[in-house]
Amino acid sequence: MQFTDQLLVGLLEAAPDAMVFVDAGGRIVLVNAQTERLFGYGREELTGQPVEILVPDAIKAGHPAYRAGYMADPQPRQMGARIELAGRRRDGDTFPAEVSLSAIDTGEGILVMATVRDVRERRELQAEWERLKTQAERDRLERQLHQSQRLESLGQLAGGIAHDFNNLLGVISSYAEFVAEDVASKTPQQEWQAVREDIQQIQLAAARAAGLTHQLLAFARRDVIQPRALNLSQVIEGVEQLLLRTLGEQVELSTELAAGLSPVLADPGQIEQVLVNLAVNARDAMPAGGQLIVATASESIDADHAASRVGLAPGRYVSLKVSDTGAGMPQDVIDRAFEPFFTTKAKGEGTGLGLATVYGIVTQLGGHVQIYSELGFGTTFTILLPETSQAVEEPSSAPPAHQGGGGETVLVVEDEAAMREVTRRILARNGYRVLTADNGLHAIEVAASHTGDIDILVTDVVMPQMLGKEAAEQIRAHYPAVKVLFMSGYTPGGVLGSGVNLIEKPFTEASLLAKLHKMMSIRS
Ligand SMILES: Nc1ncnc2c1ncn2[C@@H]1O[C@H](COP(=O)(O)OP(=O)(O)O)[C@@H](O)[C@H]1O
Ligand SMILES: [Mg+2]
């Protein structure tokens, strides 16, 4: 088959683009049907007119020069590959256009064929698509914000309950300990065996409950922590054995620990807890075995990246990535995973506190945690902890063995009567002279009216009327040599300075005595 005139005319008239033939002088010689439709002119109105009739006023003036430039080197090209071109209709309306040019040598001179396509619809679709994209990004950020606010209020709720509950546990376990000791001195031993076993159950349950309240306090960011500058890679090396034991034989552990990382400020116990919680979850997500990868790296977060995550500030971070090859999580689980008590596990198998604790710890350290998960392929937790300029501190040596006092005088300040009495009793029966006060003001009075030394002040941190810290300062004014031990299940803001002596509630008799012994053995 050959091109015939009839075929060529048919093609031209059926073309979806406007086609305008222009001679070397810039006059229109031929147009197709789409040109008539697009520009609103009849073809008899266009023939013989300068092509600028189809060009909007704004760019009309420069057009002849452009045309001359093209004629000097008439290569096929798409006009406006870089600039926004436009066409002008008969009614003066303009529209965004894409124009391609080709030169045809007719034997009687060169003709330029301009193919014009109205791209308004495409531009509008593009703009709409951009708008939807921006909207989706905004929705995503809003959802993140909503989630973090939700976690914030859950934290306040949980933290309040956990704090009170923690004190009760302190009382329960201390009295259980007293009774256990009484029983131990009874004879004949076999007759008391059953009672001893029962007491042991009470102690076990109290210890487990204390573990739970500490998870809640960690989530609520009220857990007492003593952060120090540490190297994340080193801490992870130190807990590798623990992780291996946690994971069991089915799961293969590999680590990719960056050398020469900048230090981060954290309590090593916190990092350990984060890793163990993530490892336990990973193990649960890989019942048939799999791989767990723990990796550290330096990470720099720029403003753009920070803007895409709620609660992430630009800056230098150390990242900790924990990836498993387990079951993965659907989006609705990812959305709620950090909530306390959210679990997809069977009753009795999951507490729903693992990730809540991770979240609390990481945010308390000024960091950020994010989940990436593909259902059926695995999960990656990315934790970012801000770098610190402080130098890495070496951990202090192991605490000395538990030992009683040598007649030193201790002032115990605690607003909760049961806790105060427990503390008094532990100290009194271990060779300390004990004074007590139920609040900070009262403590100052007791101290002022006491004749003789006060060697140690053991005080609650948060009490009505006066905080422990303020009471300690005033008492120190009378007794400059007094050593201060704070007792706390929580501190507002959660962080005491690293030089401060602190014991976590609930404490055991042994841990309180060890702490005091250590304090007394350091000369001030
Ligand atoms: N590595 C993981 N892979 C798959 N799902 C996970 C993973 N970690 C956590 N999850 C999901 O998040 C939920 C909450 O985890 P967590 O707070 O540790 O509570 P728990 O483990 O007690 O259920 C889990 O029940 C599980 O559905
Ligand atoms: Mg868990």
Side-chain angles (χ1 to χ4, degrees):
M1 196 176 144
Q2 299 265 305
F3 273 125
T4 61
D5 283 356
Q6 209 185 356
L7 190 59
L8 289 175
V9 169
L11 258 176
L12 208 59
E13 295 295 63
D17 293 337
M19 292 167 140
V20 182
F21 293 80
V22 180
D23 67 15
R27 293 200 176 269
I28 297 169
V29 295
L30 187 67
V31 302
N32 68 347
Q34 176 60 12
T35 308
E36 296 183 296
R37 282 193 291 270
L38 183 55
F39 287 91
Y41 290 102
R43 59 188 71 196
E44 68 292 344
E45 293 175 281
L46 288 175
T47 318
Q49 295 292 329
V51 70
E52 279 75 26
I53 191 174
L54 302 178
V55 176
D57 295 344
I59 50 175
K60 200 175 262 178
H63 200 261
Y66 179 82
R67 191 151 46 74
Y70 178 76
M71 290 309 279
D73 179 24
Q75 301 293 324
R77 71 183 70 164
Q78 189 175 33
M79 281 173 76
R82 281 158 189 280
I83 52 163
E84 176 118 334
L85 275 179
R88 179 185 189 279
R89 278 190 246 279
R90 189 172 199 244
D91 58 12
D93 190 17
T94 61
F95 58 90
E98 212 169 70
V99 181
S100 344
L101 298 178
S102 22
I104 302 161
D105 196 345
T106 60
E108 298 162 37
I110 285 190
L111 275 189
V112 177
M113 181 183 73
T115 312
V116 183
R117 181 175 298 174
D118 181 353
V119 292
R120 170 170 288 162
E121 206 171 315
R122 205 173 73 195
R123 293 271 153 83
E124 280 172 1
L125 281 175
Q126 228 161 31
E128 176 66 4
W129 188 75
E130 291 291 337
R131 197 186 63 72
L132 287 174
K133 219 170 69 173
T134 316
Q135 179 69 41
E137 172 68 6
R138 201 177 307 135
D139 289 352
R140 195 177 64 79
L141 283 173
E142 239 164 56
R143 219 177 55 190
Q144 275 185 30
L145 185 66
H146 180 74
Q147 253 171 276
S148 65
Q149 284 166 345
R150 198 178 144 78
L151 290 172
E152 191 63 36
S153 49
L154 282 170
Q156 299 202 345
L157 195 74
I161 296 170
H163 167 237
D164 292 349
F165 203 70
N166 208 32
N167 280 338
L168 295 175
L169 286 170
V171 175
I172 291 170
S173 33
S174 291
Y175 279 99
E177 207 171 313
F178 298 154
V179 177
E181 281 178 26
D182 283 349
V183 166
S185 63
K186 299 279 190 269
T187 47
Q189 277 293 311
Q190 310 87 285
E191 275 179 27
W192 291 90
Q193 186 59 26
V195 179
R196 281 169 63 159
E197 278 164 14
D198 290 352
I199 297 168
Q200 232 164 37
Q201 291 306 316
I202 295 174
Q203 285 174 318
L204 279 177
R208 273 184 40 211
L212 285 178
T213 56
H214 272 285
Q215 297 228 36
L216 274 178
L217 287 169
F219 166 67
R221 282 172 270 156
R222 290 182 181 187
D223 210 10
V224 178
I225 55 164
Q226 291 193 295
R228 57 182 172 83
L230 48 83
N231 179 311
L232 201 57
S233 293
Q234 280 172 9
V235 175
I236 294 169
E237 267 168 20
V239 295
E240 232 177 295
Q241 288 307 316
L242 176 64
L243 289 184
L244 281 170
R245 251 179 287 133
T246 307
L247 289 168
E249 281 168 9
Q250 300 271 64
V251 178
E252 192 188 317
L253 172 69
S254 48
T255 53
E256 297 163 12
L257 304 178
L261 282 182
S262 293
V264 295
L265 269 186
D267 190 323
Q270 291 182 304
I271 302 295
E272 188 175 305
Q273 187 161 24
V274 164
L275 283 165
V276 168
N277 289 6
L278 294 179
V280 168
N281 283 344
R283 181 201 62 201
D284 292 349
M286 301 186 282
Q291 266 195 311
L292 185 76
I293 303 169
V294 177
T296 57
S298 286
E299 204 96 36
S300 186
I301 302 296
D302 61 20
D304 275 354
H305 187 171
S308 73
R309 305 291 314 174
V310 166
L312 180 61
R316 299 198 49 80
Y317 291 83
V318 174
S319 72
L320 166 62
K321 280 199 168 93
V322 179
S323 308
D324 64 57
T325 55
M329 304 181 219
Q331 187 61 44
D332 59 319
V333 172
I334 294 178
D335 285 347
R336 298 192 58 198
F338 292 122
E339 283 178 20
F341 307 116
F342 175 80
T343 178
T344 59
K345 293 169 191 170
K347 228 182 162 126
E349 276 172 34
T351 58
L353 286 175
L355 290 182
T357 310
V358 169
Y359 179 88
I361 288 174
V362 172
T363 42
Q364 186 175 24
L365 295 174
H368 192 265
V369 51
Q370 193 181 343
I371 304 175
Y372 178 77
S373 189
E374 288 281 351
L375 211 51
F377 291 95
T379 304
T380 297
F381 286 85
T382 305
I383 290 167
L384 295 171
L385 296 176
E387 284 185 8
T388 174
S389 50
Q390 294 182 27
V392 171
E393 288 170 44
E394 287 315 313
S396 52
S397 52
H402 134 222
Q403 224 173 305
E408 295 91 343
T409 303
V410 184
L411 172 53
V412 175
V413 192
E414 163 68 65
D415 58 324
E416 288 188 21
M419 259 318 279
R420 186 171 63 244
E421 175 53 21
V422 162
T423 313
R424 189 199 64 74
R425 206 158 137 179
I426 290 175
L427 295 174
R429 67 190 207 150
N430 282 287
Y432 290 97
R433 263 190 266 266
V434 189
L435 307 169
T436 59
D438 58 5
N439 64 52
L441 291 174
H442 186 199
I444 291 166
E445 282 168 28
V446 170
S449 61
H450 177 68
T451 52
D453 266 350
I454 294 182
D455 302 293
I456 309 171
L457 174 68
V458 176
T459 176
D460 193 15
V461 174
V462 183
M463 292 175 293
Q465 293 170 357
M466 184 183 278
L467 292 179
K469 210 172 146 204
E470 201 184 329
E473 272 160 21
Q474 300 212 23
I475 290 169
R476 206 177 257 133
H478 288 277
Y479 299 90
V482 72
K483 309 225 172 176
V484 182
L485 174 63
F486 290 101
M487 309 180 275
S488 187
Y490 106 101
T491 50
V495 187
L496 281 177
S498 47
V500 169
N501 295 306
L502 182 79
I503 189 158
E504 260 176 56
K505 287 187 207 171
F507 45 78
T508 62
E509 178 164 19
S511 66
L512 177 61
L513 293 174
K515 197 93 197 178
L516 289 177
H517 184 77
K518 190 173 160 205
M519 283 167 61
M520 292 311 293
S521 64
I522 299 169
R523 301 259 139 250
S524 50

